Amino acid sequence: MALCSILGYPRIGFDREWKKALEAFWSGKIEETELHLKLQDIRLGHLRKLQDKGIDLIPVNDFSYYDHVLDTAVMFGLIPDRFRHKDGPVPLSVYYGMARGTKDATASEMTKWFNTNYHYIVPELHDANPVLTENRPLQAYREAKTKLGLEGKPVVLGPLTFLKLAKGYTAHETDLWLDRLIPLYVQMLQELAAEGVQWVQMDEPIAVVRLTAEDIQRLKRIYANLAEAVPSLNIMLQTYFESVENYRDLITLPVKGIGLDFVHGLDGNLSSLREHGFPSDKILGAGVINGRGIWRANLDDKLALLDELQQAVPAERLILQSSCSFLHVPVSTERETKIPYEIKGALAFADEKLDELVLLRRAVTEGKPAVAEELMTAAEALDRLKQSPSRNRIDVQEAVALMTAQDPKRSKPFEVRRIAQQAKWKLPLFPTTTIGSFPQTSDVRKARQLWRKGEWTKDQYTAFIHEQIDTWMKLQEELGLDVLVHGEFERTDMVEFFGEKLDGFVFTQNGWVQSYGSRCVKPPIIYGDVASRGDMTVSETVYAQSQTDRPVKGMLTGPITILNWSFVREDIPREQVAYQLAYALRQEVLALEQAGIGMIQVDEPAVREGLPLKEEEHQHYLSWAVRAFRMTTSPVQEATQIHTHMCYCEFHDMIDSIVDMDADVISIETSRSHGELIHSFETNTYNLGIGLGVYDIHSPRVPHVEEMAGMIDRVLHVLDPKLFWINPDCGLKTRGQNETVAALHNMVEAARLAREKYAASTPS
Ligand code: GLN
Ligand code: ZN
C-alpha cells in the first residue's frame, strides 16, 4: 500500500503567530519560557493537523526557531568565535545573535536557499571543532511521540548539502570537514535508531546541481558510512527543486529510499527513471504535489504520472510526497474571503495540498472510482479558472503577439543616444542621483492606511503625497543632486503597487510565506492575462517635475522583478507572462515620455534570482528576461534616457546580459560586496552609463566623504569616467530622514571632489 508524506510544513502558523512570538521575545515582551511554550503549541498544532488530515509519514524537526540551516550549524556547535560561546548547549541569545547580530558581533551572512525566496543563515566553519551539542531531531521525535503518540520522520539537512552551503573553508579542506562531520551524523542517527525511529529524511538538494566526480565520491562515502553505522534506520535521501544529475550514482547509494521531485524536475527525473529503472530494494519518494506553487494540482495528470511510476515501482514501494517542503507556500486558503470564487477554487496552499496528497493516495490504493467525486470537484474548479475571461483576453494576446514578432530595439545605438541625451540634459561629469525611494516615515504609512480604509478622501491623500514630494524636491535641490526622484511615497511595495493597478493580479489577505527569520512576504498572484488599466505613475512624477527645473526620473518596477516576486499562473510559460507584463509597462513608459518625463528608470533587482538551477538553462532564461526588459524600454526616443537598477553583487556571470539590456544608465550595488563587482570590469568592458553604489543603505551609518571618494577612485580605474554616475546602493525607504540627508550631502561632496580631480583628464 502506498503511503503519503510531506517534506516539511510552514512554520509561521495560521495567523503568523510564530512571527509574533519571535518578535515579542526579541523585543523583551515575553520571556524565554513563554517563547518555548508558544512555539511548542504551534509545532504540536501543526503535527495534529497533519495527523487529522491523514498524512502517513509526518515530518518532525522541520520546525525551527529561525532557520533550519542555522539549526544544523548550532547543533554541531559551529559557533563563530565572535559570539564567545564556550561548550555545551547553545543558548538562544547566541542562536539569535548569529541570525541577527548582537551589539558586539555582526550576524552571519544570509543568502538565498537555492532558487527560492527563502533565505538561510550561512554556516561559518573556519577552525571550529564541531561537536554534537544537542540532538535536535531526537528531541523533535520524542516530543511528537510522547505528546501525540505520533511516529515522526525526523528531517535532517544532509552532510554534503550542509557543507556546500557553508563557508569558511577551502575546497581542499572539504574532505577534512566531512571527516569531522560524519561521526556527528553517525552519533545523531544512532541515537535516533536507539529510540526506535524508522524513517529519517536526509535532505540533499545539492544533488540537483551538477556534482563533480569528487562530490559523487563524497556522497558515496557519506552514505556508506551512515549505512554501516546505523543499518536499521531507513534513510530517505531527499532531493528537490530540480531533477537529479547523476541519477545512476544516486540510486546505488546504500539508503532505503530516494526522494525525487516530479514537479520541477519532472522531465529529467522521469526520463532517468525510464532509462535506468529504479532499484527493487528501494522506496521511491515521489514528489508529485508542488511544494512551491499555489495552484491546485491537475489530479488526472498526477494519476497518469503515478500510473507511469508504478510501471517501474510497485505501489507498496511508493511514498507520495510534496515536491519540496511547504515552507514556500502560505498555510491555508480558508481565510481568503476576498478572492473571487473562480480563482479561490483553483488555489491550494499547504493545507489544501495535504488533502490532495491524501486523495492521490486513496486513488492509488483504493482505485479511482473510490474518489471519483472528489476528482470531479477538483477538475471543475480548475476548469472554472481556465474558462475565465480574464485568462483568455484576446486583446492582450494579440497585442503581445504583435510586439513579440518584432525585435525590441532602441531606434539608435547607445553612442548616438548618449550624444542626444547629453545635448538635452547637459549633465555634469559624474552626475549624482538616487535609486528612487526616500524614507517612509510612520506618517507616510499611516496616511496610506487612512486612505485605504476610506477615512481619507482621495484629495486628502493626494495632498499629503504632494507635501512629501515638495519636501524632498526641495531637499534634493539643496543637496545639489543632478537627477531627482519623486520619492515613491505612494508605494508600500514596489511589486504590489503595480500589481494593484494591473489586470490579471489578485491579492491574498493572509497568503504569507517566510522570507528570512521572522520576515514574511505576501506575494501577489498573477492569475490572468496582465493588462494595463491606464496610467500608474504619471501623476506623481509629473507633479514632482513641475516643482523643479532639474530632470526627474520616472520610476517603474520591471517585468522580471514583478514576475519573480509573484506567484505566477502555470498554464502558460513564464516567458509569456513576462511579455504581457512588458507590454503593460511599455505603455507606462510611453505615457511618462508623452507627459514630458525624459528619464525613466525600470528597476530589475530580481533578475538574478530567477536564474534556473541548471546551468544549461541560464542562457534561455536570460535571453527572454533581457527581451522583456527591452520590450518595456525600447520604444522611447533617442534623447529619452532609460535607467535600470539592480541590487546584489553576483553579476560577474551575467554581465553580457546586462549589456544586452541596453539601458542608457544602470545603477548597481557595490559597497556591501566591498567592490567585488569592480573586479568584473577589469576583464569585461562595460560601455554604457553606469553608477556603482558608493554607500551601503542597509546601515544607518553615515559614510565619510573620503570613503566614498576612495570607492570612486577604485571604480574609475576600470570604468570610463564619462559614463560614470554616482549614487547610493539602493532605495532609501528604510532609512531615517536625517541620516539620509547627511549621507547624500557627503555623497554630493565626494562627487564634487571627483569632478575637480578628473575633469581635466576627461573629454566630454
Ligand atoms: N526604486 C526602488 C527603491 O528605491 C528600488 C528598490 C530595489 O531595488 N529593491 O526603493
Ligand atoms: Zn536595490
Side-chain angles (χ1 to χ4, degrees), residues 25-26 66 70 74 79-80 82-83 90-109 121 124:
F25 175 67
W26 294 338
Y66 196 94
L70 177 62
V74 164
I79 316 296
R82 62 185 183 281
F83 293 98
V90 179
L92 267 189
S93 56
V94 171
Y95 177 87
Y96 283 134
M98 288 168 70
R100 315 174 59 232
T102 63
K103 65 180 191 330
D104 306 313
T106 51
S108 288
E109 209 178 289
I121 300 290
E124 298 175 40

mmCIF file of all heavy atoms in Angstrom, residues 25-26 66 70 74 79-80 82-83 90-109 121 124:
data_model
loop_
_atom_site.group_PDB
_atom_site.id
_atom_site.type_symbol
_atom_site.label_atom_id
_atom_site.label_comp_id
_atom_site.label_asym_id
_atom_site.label_seq_id
_atom_site.Cartn_x
_atom_site.Cartn_y
_atom_site.Cartn_z
ATOM 1 N N PHE A 25 9.544 38.046 21.745
ATOM 2 C CA PHE A 25 10.704 37.644 22.538
ATOM 3 C C PHE A 25 11.877 38.593 22.286
ATOM 4 O O PHE A 25 12.523 39.055 23.229
ATOM 5 C CB PHE A 25 11.081 36.196 22.193
ATOM 6 C CG PHE A 25 12.337 35.746 22.866
ATOM 7 C CD1 PHE A 25 12.389 35.596 24.245
ATOM 8 C CD2 PHE A 25 13.485 35.485 22.116
ATOM 9 C CE1 PHE A 25 13.559 35.193 24.883
ATOM 10 C CE2 PHE A 25 14.658 35.088 22.742
ATOM 11 C CZ PHE A 25 14.705 34.938 24.125
ATOM 12 N N TRP A 26 12.126 38.908 21.062
ATOM 13 C CA TRP A 26 13.264 39.786 20.752
ATOM 14 C C TRP A 26 13.103 41.160 21.388
ATOM 15 O O TRP A 26 14.073 41.781 21.791
ATOM 16 C CB TRP A 26 13.414 39.956 19.232
ATOM 17 C CG TRP A 26 13.782 38.688 18.537
ATOM 18 C CD1 TRP A 26 14.384 37.577 19.086
ATOM 19 C CD2 TRP A 26 13.572 38.371 17.152
ATOM 20 N NE1 TRP A 26 14.547 36.607 18.134
ATOM 21 C CE2 TRP A 26 14.069 37.065 16.940
ATOM 22 C CE3 TRP A 26 13.022 39.054 16.069
ATOM 23 C CZ2 TRP A 26 14.032 36.435 15.695
ATOM 24 C CZ3 TRP A 26 12.989 38.438 14.835
ATOM 25 C CH2 TRP A 26 13.486 37.134 14.650
ATOM 26 N N TYR A 66 14.198 29.749 13.830
ATOM 27 C CA TYR A 66 14.591 30.812 12.890
ATOM 28 C C TYR A 66 14.811 30.242 11.501
ATOM 29 O O TYR A 66 14.141 30.609 10.559
ATOM 30 C CB TYR A 66 15.868 31.518 13.378
ATOM 31 C CG TYR A 66 16.143 32.844 12.714
ATOM 32 C CD1 TYR A 66 15.703 34.033 13.291
ATOM 33 C CD2 TYR A 66 16.847 32.912 11.506
ATOM 34 C CE1 TYR A 66 15.954 35.261 12.682
ATOM 35 C CE2 TYR A 66 17.106 34.139 10.896
ATOM 36 C CZ TYR A 66 16.648 35.309 11.489
ATOM 37 O OH TYR A 66 16.901 36.518 10.888
ATOM 38 N N LEU A 70 20.719 27.244 10.098
ATOM 39 C CA LEU A 70 21.279 27.732 11.361
ATOM 40 C C LEU A 70 21.145 26.659 12.450
ATOM 41 O O LEU A 70 22.072 26.410 13.209
ATOM 42 C CB LEU A 70 20.553 29.024 11.781
ATOM 43 C CG LEU A 70 20.956 29.631 13.116
ATOM 44 C CD1 LEU A 70 22.421 30.048 13.124
ATOM 45 C CD2 LEU A 70 20.079 30.843 13.450
ATOM 46 N N VAL A 74 24.228 25.112 14.596
ATOM 47 C CA VAL A 74 24.234 25.221 16.051
ATOM 48 C C VAL A 74 24.250 23.826 16.689
ATOM 49 O O VAL A 74 24.937 23.582 17.678
ATOM 50 C CB VAL A 74 23.012 26.061 16.498
ATOM 51 C CG1 VAL A 74 22.734 25.884 17.976
ATOM 52 C CG2 VAL A 74 23.266 27.530 16.175
ATOM 53 N N ILE A 79 29.890 27.598 16.097
ATOM 54 C CA ILE A 79 29.587 28.967 16.525
ATOM 55 C C ILE A 79 30.820 29.831 16.274
ATOM 56 O O ILE A 79 31.876 29.567 16.824
ATOM 57 C CB ILE A 79 29.277 29.008 18.050
ATOM 58 C CG1 ILE A 79 28.364 27.860 18.470
ATOM 59 C CG2 ILE A 79 28.726 30.363 18.449
ATOM 60 C CD1 ILE A 79 27.001 27.873 17.871
ATOM 61 N N PRO A 80 30.688 30.879 15.438
ATOM 62 C CA PRO A 80 31.851 31.746 15.201
ATOM 63 C C PRO A 80 32.396 32.314 16.519
ATOM 64 O O PRO A 80 31.626 32.626 17.436
ATOM 65 C CB PRO A 80 31.279 32.867 14.321
ATOM 66 C CG PRO A 80 30.059 32.291 13.687
ATOM 67 C CD PRO A 80 29.509 31.299 14.655
ATOM 68 N N ARG A 82 33.396 35.098 17.443
ATOM 69 C CA ARG A 82 32.993 36.413 17.934
ATOM 70 C C ARG A 82 31.772 36.352 18.854
ATOM 71 O O ARG A 82 31.462 37.323 19.533
ATOM 72 C CB ARG A 82 32.740 37.358 16.765
ATOM 73 C CG ARG A 82 31.619 36.939 15.817
ATOM 74 C CD ARG A 82 31.555 37.902 14.629
ATOM 75 N NE ARG A 82 30.459 37.586 13.717
ATOM 76 C CZ ARG A 82 30.494 36.618 12.804
ATOM 77 N NH1 ARG A 82 31.565 35.841 12.696
ATOM 78 N NH2 ARG A 82 29.465 36.391 12.012
ATOM 79 N N PHE A 83 31.094 35.187 18.901
ATOM 80 C CA PHE A 83 29.949 35.080 19.820
ATOM 81 C C PHE A 83 30.357 34.526 21.184
ATOM 82 O O PHE A 83 29.528 34.376 22.075
ATOM 83 C CB PHE A 83 28.836 34.241 19.190
ATOM 84 C CG PHE A 83 28.228 34.934 18.003
ATOM 85 C CD1 PHE A 83 28.629 34.617 16.720
ATOM 86 C CD2 PHE A 83 27.310 35.953 18.186
ATOM 87 C CE1 PHE A 83 28.113 35.293 15.622
ATOM 88 C CE2 PHE A 83 26.786 36.641 17.093
ATOM 89 C CZ PHE A 83 27.193 36.312 15.806
ATOM 90 N N VAL A 90 23.790 25.453 23.088
ATOM 91 C CA VAL A 90 23.929 26.855 22.663
ATOM 92 C C VAL A 90 22.707 27.643 23.127
ATOM 93 O O VAL A 90 21.578 27.311 22.782
ATOM 94 C CB VAL A 90 24.046 26.908 21.127
ATOM 95 C CG1 VAL A 90 24.174 28.334 20.651
ATOM 96 C CG2 VAL A 90 25.235 26.057 20.664
ATOM 97 N N PRO A 91 22.910 28.679 23.932
ATOM 98 C CA PRO A 91 21.750 29.439 24.412
ATOM 99 C C PRO A 91 21.078 30.219 23.279
ATOM 100 O O PRO A 91 21.712 30.521 22.268
ATOM 101 C CB PRO A 91 22.336 30.388 25.450
ATOM 102 C CG PRO A 91 23.792 30.458 25.164
ATOM 103 C CD PRO A 91 24.182 29.186 24.472
ATOM 104 N N LEU A 92 19.823 30.549 23.492
ATOM 105 C CA LEU A 92 19.071 31.292 22.472
ATOM 106 C C LEU A 92 19.730 32.620 22.135
ATOM 107 O O LEU A 92 19.666 33.077 21.003
ATOM 108 C CB LEU A 92 17.653 31.558 22.967
ATOM 109 C CG LEU A 92 16.563 30.558 22.597
ATOM 110 C CD1 LEU A 92 15.203 31.107 22.998
ATOM 111 C CD2 LEU A 92 16.581 30.237 21.096
ATOM 112 N N SER A 93 20.382 33.230 23.142
ATOM 113 C CA SER A 93 20.995 34.535 22.875
ATOM 114 C C SER A 93 22.076 34.395 21.791
ATOM 115 O O SER A 93 22.223 35.273 20.945
ATOM 116 C CB SER A 93 21.584 35.113 24.158
ATOM 117 O OG SER A 93 22.497 34.184 24.712
ATOM 118 N N VAL A 94 22.805 33.285 21.815
ATOM 119 C CA VAL A 94 23.839 33.073 20.800
ATOM 120 C C VAL A 94 23.180 32.707 19.463
ATOM 121 O O VAL A 94 23.558 33.209 18.402
ATOM 122 C CB VAL A 94 24.825 31.968 21.247
ATOM 123 C CG1 VAL A 94 25.766 31.596 20.107
ATOM 124 C CG2 VAL A 94 25.608 32.433 22.466
ATOM 125 N N TYR A 95 22.186 31.838 19.555
ATOM 126 C CA TYR A 95 21.469 31.415 18.347
ATOM 127 C C TYR A 95 20.918 32.635 17.600
ATOM 128 O O TYR A 95 21.168 32.826 16.403
ATOM 129 C CB TYR A 95 20.338 30.471 18.776
ATOM 130 C CG TYR A 95 19.426 29.965 17.671
ATOM 131 C CD1 TYR A 95 19.754 28.828 16.939
ATOM 132 C CD2 TYR A 95 18.222 30.610 17.389
ATOM 133 C CE1 TYR A 95 18.905 28.343 15.947
ATOM 134 C CE2 TYR A 95 17.367 30.138 16.399
ATOM 135 C CZ TYR A 95 17.710 28.999 15.679
ATOM 136 O OH TYR A 95 16.871 28.537 14.699
ATOM 137 N N TYR A 96 20.213 33.490 18.315
ATOM 138 C CA TYR A 96 19.647 34.669 17.649
ATOM 139 C C TYR A 96 20.722 35.705 17.331
ATOM 140 O O TYR A 96 20.578 36.495 16.404
ATOM 141 C CB TYR A 96 18.519 35.271 18.491
ATOM 142 C CG TYR A 96 17.228 34.471 18.379
ATOM 143 C CD1 TYR A 96 16.478 34.134 19.499
ATOM 144 C CD2 TYR A 96 16.770 34.050 17.121
ATOM 145 C CE1 TYR A 96 15.304 33.399 19.391
ATOM 146 C CE2 TYR A 96 15.599 33.315 17.006
ATOM 147 C CZ TYR A 96 14.873 32.990 18.136
ATOM 148 O OH TYR A 96 13.722 32.268 18.016
ATOM 149 N N GLY A 97 21.804 35.672 18.098
ATOM 150 C CA GLY A 97 22.924 36.557 17.784
ATOM 151 C C GLY A 97 23.489 36.233 16.409
ATOM 152 O O GLY A 97 23.745 37.124 15.594
ATOM 153 N N MET A 98 23.657 34.945 16.147
ATOM 154 C CA MET A 98 24.185 34.546 14.840
ATOM 155 C C MET A 98 23.234 34.963 13.724
ATOM 156 O O MET A 98 23.643 35.310 12.622
ATOM 157 C CB MET A 98 24.385 33.026 14.799
ATOM 158 C CG MET A 98 25.551 32.553 15.650
ATOM 159 S SD MET A 98 25.566 30.770 15.863
ATOM 160 C CE MET A 98 26.003 30.205 14.209
ATOM 161 N N ALA A 99 21.947 34.906 14.016
ATOM 162 C CA ALA A 99 20.954 35.225 12.988
ATOM 163 C C ALA A 99 20.830 36.728 12.761
ATOM 164 O O ALA A 99 20.676 37.174 11.629
ATOM 165 C CB ALA A 99 19.602 34.644 13.390
ATOM 166 N N ARG A 100 20.903 37.501 13.866
ATOM 167 C CA ARG A 100 20.524 38.906 13.753
ATOM 168 C C ARG A 100 21.594 39.882 14.209
ATOM 169 O O ARG A 100 21.411 41.081 14.124
ATOM 170 C CB ARG A 100 19.253 39.144 14.579
ATOM 171 C CG ARG A 100 18.188 38.083 14.375
ATOM 172 C CD ARG A 100 17.011 38.252 15.309
ATOM 173 N NE ARG A 100 16.378 39.525 15.147
ATOM 174 C CZ ARG A 100 16.118 40.377 16.131
ATOM 175 N NH1 ARG A 100 16.446 40.072 17.366
ATOM 176 N NH2 ARG A 100 15.520 41.523 15.896
ATOM 177 N N GLY A 101 22.704 39.347 14.700
ATOM 178 C CA GLY A 101 23.751 40.225 15.212
ATOM 179 C C GLY A 101 23.474 40.611 16.659
ATOM 180 O O GLY A 101 22.334 40.558 17.127
ATOM 181 N N THR A 102 24.530 40.949 17.379
ATOM 182 C CA THR A 102 24.388 41.453 18.745
ATOM 183 C C THR A 102 25.068 42.816 18.751
ATOM 184 O O THR A 102 25.600 43.239 17.725
ATOM 185 C CB THR A 102 25.117 40.556 19.763
ATOM 186 O OG1 THR A 102 26.508 40.594 19.460
ATOM 187 C CG2 THR A 102 24.616 39.120 19.687
ATOM 188 N N LYS A 103 25.119 43.450 19.917
ATOM 189 C CA LYS A 103 25.767 44.758 19.881
ATOM 190 C C LYS A 103 27.284 44.632 19.728
ATOM 191 O O LYS A 103 27.941 45.575 19.322
ATOM 192 C CB LYS A 103 25.358 45.631 21.071
ATOM 193 C CG LYS A 103 25.776 45.164 22.420
ATOM 194 C CD LYS A 103 25.269 46.190 23.448
ATOM 195 C CE LYS A 103 25.829 46.018 24.837
ATOM 196 N NZ LYS A 103 26.188 44.669 25.255
ATOM 197 N N ASP A 104 27.824 43.440 20.011
ATOM 198 C CA ASP A 104 29.274 43.276 19.865
ATOM 199 C C ASP A 104 29.679 42.481 18.632
ATOM 200 O O ASP A 104 30.838 42.478 18.252
ATOM 201 C CB ASP A 104 29.844 42.541 21.086
ATOM 202 C CG ASP A 104 29.446 43.222 22.370
ATOM 203 O OD1 ASP A 104 29.588 44.452 22.423
ATOM 204 O OD2 ASP A 104 28.968 42.524 23.285
ATOM 205 N N ALA A 105 28.752 41.750 18.052
ATOM 206 C CA ALA A 105 29.157 40.846 16.965
ATOM 207 C C ALA A 105 28.167 40.922 15.814
ATOM 208 O O ALA A 105 26.956 40.961 16.025
ATOM 209 C CB ALA A 105 29.214 39.402 17.492
ATOM 210 N N THR A 106 28.730 40.958 14.616
ATOM 211 C CA THR A 106 27.839 41.030 13.459
ATOM 212 C C THR A 106 27.207 39.662 13.195
ATOM 213 O O THR A 106 27.774 38.621 13.511
ATOM 214 C CB THR A 106 28.602 41.438 12.185
ATOM 215 O OG1 THR A 106 29.741 40.579 12.082
ATOM 216 C CG2 THR A 106 29.039 42.880 12.229
ATOM 217 N N ALA A 107 26.035 39.702 12.599
ATOM 218 C CA ALA A 107 25.314 38.470 12.271
ATOM 219 C C ALA A 107 26.078 37.692 11.210
ATOM 220 O O ALA A 107 26.898 38.246 10.482
ATOM 221 C CB ALA A 107 23.927 38.826 11.749
ATOM 222 N N SER A 108 25.778 36.405 11.106
ATOM 223 C CA SER A 108 26.299 35.630 9.988
ATOM 224 C C SER A 108 25.586 36.105 8.723
ATOM 225 O O SER A 108 24.492 36.656 8.783
ATOM 226 C CB SER A 108 26.038 34.141 10.197
ATOM 227 O OG SER A 108 26.874 33.643 11.208
ATOM 228 N N GLU A 109 26.199 35.823 7.606
ATOM 229 C CA GLU A 109 25.631 36.229 6.330
ATOM 230 C C GLU A 109 24.341 35.456 6.054
ATOM 231 O O GLU A 109 24.139 34.357 6.574
ATOM 232 C CB GLU A 109 26.656 35.860 5.268
ATOM 233 C CG GLU A 109 26.680 36.697 4.046
ATOM 234 C CD GLU A 109 27.807 36.200 3.139
ATOM 235 O OE1 GLU A 109 28.994 36.408 3.481
ATOM 236 O OE2 GLU A 109 27.476 35.575 2.139
ATOM 237 N N ILE A 121 20.787 31.175 6.912
ATOM 238 C CA ILE A 121 21.978 31.747 7.523
ATOM 239 C C ILE A 121 23.182 30.891 7.119
ATOM 240 O O ILE A 121 23.162 29.674 7.302
ATOM 241 C CB ILE A 121 21.828 31.757 9.062
ATOM 242 C CG1 ILE A 121 20.607 32.589 9.464
ATOM 243 C CG2 ILE A 121 23.096 32.266 9.732
ATOM 244 C CD1 ILE A 121 20.746 34.074 9.236
ATOM 245 N N GLU A 124 29.399 29.256 9.256
ATOM 246 C CA GLU A 124 30.810 29.660 9.178
ATOM 247 C C GLU A 124 31.638 28.593 9.871
ATOM 248 O O GLU A 124 31.520 28.399 11.066
ATOM 249 C CB GLU A 124 31.011 30.998 9.903
ATOM 250 C CG GLU A 124 30.242 32.153 9.302
ATOM 251 C CD GLU A 124 30.381 33.426 10.132
ATOM 252 O OE1 GLU A 124 31.498 33.710 10.627
ATOM 253 O OE2 GLU A 124 29.363 34.117 10.306
#
